[in-house]
Every structure is written in structure tokens, then in C-alpha cells.
């Protein structure tokens, strides 16, 4: 009898320990039935698979975060700084690119290349810079603000002397600017203003004692016999000032005249022998706030701008595509 009681007691204690061990699941707030057919093992395996899938998902997320894989649905915003003379062509090309890539939103900031360079140096958010002058791009490279191996010479242009239609001006070109009643001229920090000053050094109007960009508007006026000069901050403003008749003549780029053929006329195309080559370099900018996907998108947009099709659009607006000439 004592043996039976001892055995019964042992069985009771064993059952109690087993129940206590199962009670560990109470921390998760769930209970698990363990059927005799072994389905629990299958469920556990499924649970392991789920965990594995979760880990794989984490890995995928990690890859996306590093920019290795960019979803076409990911919304990306690019800020592109462009010389004012590029505004019409770049507006058309940006709109076309966004239609083909609806996940990319492109914002254009158009102004003189000198002003844009200063904004970039001061930390303005920028993913790409399309300059009308090499000097500004060289300075940004010196500052360490260009993404490595992204700078390309994309376009070339030509400076022209213009007047408003019907002005009756006596000016025939660069050599007779002194005969104008008034001139619209960009300042020396603006590429078209600098190129004009280079040409005036080359034809002997300015003495060439210093860098062309350093000649003030007053000094140019004095060299031209005191003619009135309206200084403008970018080439678009020069064009508008002449087109509306506020100034008799001015100097702009040939490309600026697209759409203004009925308002202004060209008096002279200034030879590059006087201005030097007028090159438009393009480069991606180091943007500390840009994601990997944003940097990749900027590179892809640059590739698009350097394509044959884009070159044809630029040429429609009066530029010469250097990329297409290679």
C-alpha cells in the first residue's frame, strides 16, 4: 500500500511540474495545444519560416536604405541650379523627364552663374549645377563641392549684340557701342557680362590691365565715352530690358533670342576669337542632405541631359551640343 501511495505521489508531482513548465507560455498571453499528430512541429517550422522571412525583409530594407535598390515608386525631389540662359530649354527637358519618371520631381533655380555659385557655397540645397561659365564651376571644384567624375562640358554658345526692332540705332556691333544712347549690360560676375568685357579688351576698348570680370560698369562706360549703361544681374534681364525698349542695345547669348525674334534683332554675332570659347559645364553637387536614391537620380538626370535627344532640344533653343559633336 505504501508503494502505491508513493507511486501516486510521484505521478502527481510530475504532472504538477509539467503544468508549471507549460505555464511559461503565459508571458506571451497565448496557449498552445499540442496535438498528438505532431502538427505543433509543423507550426513551429512555419513560425521559423516567418521569422526567416522577416529577417529577409529586414535585409531588403537595409539594401534599400543603402541605395542598392531604388523603387520606381519612391518619390525623389531634385533641385537643379541653372544659368538663366538655359531656362527655356531646361524647362522643356525637365518636364519631359518628369513625364517619363513620375517619381522624380525637378525644381529649377535660374539665375546668373555667379549668383548660383555663391548660393551653393553658402550651403543652399542643390543636386546639380548647369553653369554658363567655366570659372564658376572651377571655383566649386576648388571648394570640393562637386561630386567626383560628374563634370561634363555640355553646350557652347555665342555672344550677340542686340537691339529692339525698329530702334533705328546707329550701332552696328561691338566696335560702335559708343554710338548707343543706352546699353543694357550684365555685371562682370555674370558670364555674358564677363565675355562682353573680354571682347572689349580684345578690340582695344578696355586696356586689359586686369581680369575682364573685374572691370566695373562705370569703367566700361568711361571706356565707351560715357555712354549710359544699365547694369543687370543676369542675361535674361538684359534681354527683357532691350526687348521692352528701355535700353537701345545690349549683349546676350544667341540662344536667348528664341521666342523673341519679333521683338529684337541681332546687330552682330561676336566671334569667339574675341570672347574665347563659351562653354556650359554641368556637374552634380555634393548635397549633404541628399539620400543615396537622390544622388542616383541626379546622376540619371545628368545622363539624360547629355543624351542625343536632349542635345537636339538644346540646339532648337540656339545652343550647340558639345556632347553630340563627340
Amino acid at each position: 500500500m505504501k508503494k502505491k501511495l508513493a507511486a501516486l505521489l510521484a505521478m502527481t508531482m510530475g504532472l504538477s511540474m509539467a503544468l508549471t513548465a507549460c505555464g511559461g507560455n503565459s508571458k506571451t498571453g497565448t496557449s498552445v495545444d499540442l496535438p498528438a499528430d505532431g502538427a505543433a512541429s509543423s507550426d513551429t517550422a512555419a513560425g521559423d519560416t516567418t521569422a526567416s522571412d522577416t529577417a529577409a525583409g529586414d535585409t531588403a530594407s537595409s539594401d534599400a536604405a543603402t541605395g542598392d535598390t531604388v523603387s520606381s515608386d519612391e518619390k525623389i525631389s531634385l533641385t537643379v541650379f541653372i544659368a538663366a540662359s538655359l531656362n527655356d530649354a531646361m524647362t522643356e527637358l525637365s518636364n519631359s523627364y518628369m513625364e517619363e519618371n513620375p517619381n522624380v520631381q525637378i525644381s529649377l533655380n535660374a539665375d546668373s552663374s555667379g549668383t548660383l555659385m555663391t548660393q551653393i557655397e553658402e550651403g543652399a540645397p542643390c543636386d546639380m549645377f548647369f553653369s554658363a561659365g567655366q570659372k564658376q564651376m572651377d571655383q566649386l571644384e576648388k571648394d570640393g563641392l562637386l561630386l567626383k567624375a560628374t563634370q561634363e562640358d555640355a553646350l557652347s554658345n555665342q555672344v550677340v549684340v542686340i537691339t529692339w526692332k525698329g530702334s533705328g540705332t546707329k550701332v552696328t556691333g561691338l566696335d560702335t557701342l559708343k554710338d548707343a544712347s543706352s546699353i543694357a549690360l550684365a555685371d562682370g560676375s555674370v558670364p555674358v557680362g564677363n565675355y562682353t568685357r573680354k571682347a572689349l579688351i580684345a578690340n582695344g576698348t578696355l586696356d586689359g590691365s586686369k581680369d575682364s570680370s573685374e572691370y566695373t560698369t562705370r569703367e566700361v562706360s568711361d571706356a565707351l565715352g560715357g555712354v549710359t549703361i544699365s547694369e543687370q544681374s543676369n542675361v535674361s534681364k538684359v534681354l527683357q530690358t532691350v526687348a521692352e525698349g528701355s535700353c537701345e542695345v545690349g549683349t546676350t547669348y544667341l540662344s536667348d533670342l528664341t521666342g523673341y525674334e519679333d521683338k529684337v534683332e541681332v546687330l552682330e554675332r561676336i566671334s569667339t576669337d574675341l570672347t574665347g570659347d563659351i562653354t556650359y559645364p554641368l556637374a552634380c553637387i555634393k548635397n549633404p542632405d541628399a539620400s543615396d536614391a537622390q544622388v542616383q537620380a541626379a546622376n540619371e538626370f545628368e545622363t539624360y541631359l547629355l543624351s542625343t535627344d536632349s542635345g537636339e532640344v538644346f540646339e532648337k533653343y540656339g545652343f550647340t551640343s558639345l556632347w553630340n559633336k563627340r
Side-chain angles (χ1 to χ4, degrees), residues 140 205 266 288 320:
L140 292 179
T205 300
V266 175
T320 297

Side-chain angles (χ1 to χ4, degrees), residues 92-314:
E92 179 176 333
L93 286 167
S94 296
N95 287 336
S96 295
Y97 189 80
M98 287 188 288
E99 287 179 7
E100 297 173 13
N101 301 272
N103 62 310
V104 179
Q105 179 64 43
I106 299 170
S107 298
L108 300 177
N109 177 23
D111 210 323
S112 76
S113 298
T115 297
L116 297 174
M117 178 195 74
T118 300
Q119 291 175 358
I120 293 170
E121 289 178 320
E122 292 176 349
C126 175
D127 299 296
M128 182 183 295
F129 179 39
F130 207 157
S131 176
Q134 190 62 48
K135 180 178 180 180
Q136 290 75 18
M137 193 67 78
D138 288 345
Q139 183 60 50
L140 292 179
E141 183 176 30
K142 182 179 179 181
D143 294 337
L145 293 173
L146 303 187
L147 284 181
K148 186 178 180 180
T150 62
Q151 183 180 170
E152 296 286 354
D153 289 341
L155 306 170
S156 65
N157 213 335
Q158 188 172 17
V159 175
V160 293
V161 179
I162 62 170
T163 188
W164 53 274
K165 284 214 168 176
S167 68
T169 181
K170 295 179 182 179
V171 176
T172 58
L174 192 71
D175 292 338
T176 55
L177 283 178
K178 64 183 185 303
D179 295 330
S181 60
S182 59
I183 302 171
L185 180 67
D187 70 69
S189 70
V190 180
V192 72
N194 185 32
Y195 288 127
T196 301
R197 287 163 172 78
K198 283 184 178 181
L200 290 172
I201 291 174
N203 78 351
T205 300
L206 295 175
D207 59 20
S209 60
K210 54 185 174 181
D211 184 80
S212 54
S213 64
E214 296 177 359
Y215 283 92
T216 66
T217 299
R218 170 60 66 183
E219 288 174 321
V220 176
S221 174
D222 290 344
L224 291 171
V227 62
T228 299
I229 296 180
S230 175
E231 182 179 289
Q232 303 298 322
S233 60
N234 63 53
V235 69
S236 295
K237 291 181 179 179
V238 173
L239 177 60
Q240 290 291 342
T241 300
V242 175
E244 66 189 17
S246 296
C247 282
E248 186 177 323
V249 299
T251 58
T252 66
Y253 295 116
L254 180 63
S255 62
D256 291 306
L257 306 185
T258 302
Y260 282 82
E261 293 86 354
D262 61 338
K263 296 180 180 179
V264 300
E265 61 179 294
V266 175
L267 299 172
E268 180 189 9
R269 296 189 181 197
I270 301 176
S271 170
T272 54
D273 291 339
L274 299 179
T275 62
D277 291 335
I278 299 174
T279 304
Y280 282 58
L282 169 66
C284 293
I285 300 297
K286 289 181 180 178
N287 182 351
D289 298 323
S291 65
D292 290 339
Q294 194 171 334
V295 172
Q296 180 179 332
N299 276 274
E300 291 173 354
F301 184 49
E302 179 181 29
T303 299
Y304 172 82
L305 293 176
L306 296 172
S307 68
T308 299
D309 289 345
S310 293
E312 291 175 355
V313 173
F314 283 122

Side-chain angles (χ1 to χ4, degrees), residues 20-42:
T20 300
C22 290
N25 289 324
S26 64
K27 292 182 180 180
T28 64
T30 61
S31 61
V32 179
D33 294 328
L34 302 178
D37 60 8
S41 298
S42 177

